[in-house]
Amino acid sequence: MVHQRTSGHRKPFVALILALGGFVAQTQLTHRVLTVMNYNRPFFVIYVTQSVFTASVLVHLVYLAITTKSPISSLCKGLKITIAKRLHSSKSLQRIRFPCIRFLLITLTLTAGFTTPTLLWGVGISLSSASDVTVIWNTNAFFAYLISVTVLGHQHQHSKFAAVLLATMGVVLVVYGGAEPGNSVLHHRRLPSRSVGDLFALLASVLYAGYQLFYDGFIELPLTSPQGLDNFSSESTPLMEPEELEEYKDAIYPSPYGLESSFWTSMIGLCTMSLLWAAFPALQSLGIEHFGLPTDPPTVLAILGAAMSGATFMTGTMMLLASWGAVTTSVTTLLTTVLVFLTDLLLGAAISVWSIIGAATIAAAFVMLLLADNSPALVHATQESNV
């Protein structure tokens, strides 16, 4: 018997909390490692952070096994069906075959699509001011909308476009209207190579918008209907082997909310860990970054904390992409600017009225975008809260 799970309408907001909290913690810890602790090896920190992504699906499976009492084997079987069905051009499930070549290509594409803009962001922030790079990076919401309309042919919505512009303006107000340089993680010294760094940040922003749209288009809608599984029989599906029917009869399908996103996050981490280590000798020989493991325990703990926070942020973001789409998710991530601003405030940084206005503008744009998108999640969450 195949068990069915529904995602629920509040769970995307849980993913939102994970994404926002993970980003803020990662930002603060990474900044502390690279500056206060003087461990200026950004590539190594990025490598460790993305390698920790590998544990995402394992942690999710253990969590589901504990909270739902579901066998991990049944969860894994359902996940295999979900991924196989996602990768096949045909959505029929007459035979559960895993397309390994397509799976490898998708994994490599997702890894390159996420890692490339991340590295470009790191280069940009080392050449320009962090305030410039923060604003330029957060324009990915605008580029995501622009690409979705002009390239992918999605319908233009004036209200959604206005929300994207409003959120971008809010980021500018928070970053440039906030604390004085040196008091905040959003500010950094200005160097002569600022324009070059800004160019890297702009390219990173465009590529990251493209990555979000690729994943959004690949995932399409969540697989919420067990098409064909309830009717598996040797008569109705003559191509299905009896052994295969027996093997998957206890599969939990569709997979619980977010498990597929956790799986792809883990694949990005595994691919990063397996391939990106080869860049260390090249960076060493070119004098760009000298490899060296941290020696003092506080730095080690801070790097591990940043890595786990980054994995939380990435998993939550991937869940939001599958739930709300690229444009809404990209604007949602702009809320991280507000939270970083608030944590800086708690750490003693000075603020201005413009920063407060900017933070409120981003929050208003987020709500405006959800309403413009007619998000069922928002409607149902509101209804449930009133019950």
PDB file of all heavy atoms in Angstrom, residues 4 27 280 350:
ATOM      1  N   GLN A   4       0.323   8.300   1.277  1.00  0.00           N
ATOM      2  CA  GLN A   4       0.338   9.622   0.675  1.00  0.00           C
ATOM      3  C   GLN A   4       0.566  10.673   1.757  1.00  0.00           C
ATOM      4  O   GLN A   4       0.068  10.578   2.866  1.00  0.00           O
ATOM      5  CB  GLN A   4      -0.984   9.923  -0.038  1.00  0.00           C
ATOM      6  CG  GLN A   4      -1.265   8.977  -1.184  1.00  0.00           C
ATOM      7  CD  GLN A   4      -2.529   9.357  -1.899  1.00  0.00           C
ATOM      8  OE1 GLN A   4      -2.812  10.524  -2.099  1.00  0.00           O
ATOM      9  NE2 GLN A   4      -3.303   8.384  -2.289  1.00  0.00           N
ATOM     10  N   THR A  27      25.919  34.619   7.595  1.00  0.00           N
ATOM     11  CA  THR A  27      26.540  35.906   7.298  1.00  0.00           C
ATOM     12  C   THR A  27      27.392  36.396   8.465  1.00  0.00           C
ATOM     13  O   THR A  27      28.553  36.792   8.287  1.00  0.00           O
ATOM     14  CB  THR A  27      25.465  36.956   6.973  1.00  0.00           C
ATOM     15  OG1 THR A  27      24.725  36.533   5.820  1.00  0.00           O
ATOM     16  CG2 THR A  27      26.091  38.314   6.686  1.00  0.00           C
ATOM     17  N   PHE A 280      42.133  23.801  -5.180  1.00  0.00           N
ATOM     18  CA  PHE A 280      43.074  24.266  -4.154  1.00  0.00           C
ATOM     19  C   PHE A 280      44.512  24.352  -4.654  1.00  0.00           C
ATOM     20  O   PHE A 280      45.187  25.359  -4.414  1.00  0.00           O
ATOM     21  CB  PHE A 280      42.983  23.378  -2.912  1.00  0.00           C
ATOM     22  CG  PHE A 280      41.760  23.631  -2.084  1.00  0.00           C
ATOM     23  CD1 PHE A 280      40.755  22.688  -1.997  1.00  0.00           C
ATOM     24  CD2 PHE A 280      41.612  24.825  -1.390  1.00  0.00           C
ATOM     25  CE1 PHE A 280      39.627  22.917  -1.240  1.00  0.00           C
ATOM     26  CE2 PHE A 280      40.476  25.069  -0.626  1.00  0.00           C
ATOM     27  CZ  PHE A 280      39.490  24.115  -0.551  1.00  0.00           C
ATOM     28  N   ALA A 350      25.157  51.518  14.791  1.00  0.00           N
ATOM     29  CA  ALA A 350      24.248  52.664  14.718  1.00  0.00           C
ATOM     30  C   ALA A 350      23.281  52.482  13.555  1.00  0.00           C
ATOM     31  O   ALA A 350      23.574  51.791  12.589  1.00  0.00           O
ATOM     32  CB  ALA A 350      25.047  53.948  14.533  1.00  0.00           C
TER      33      ALA A 350
END
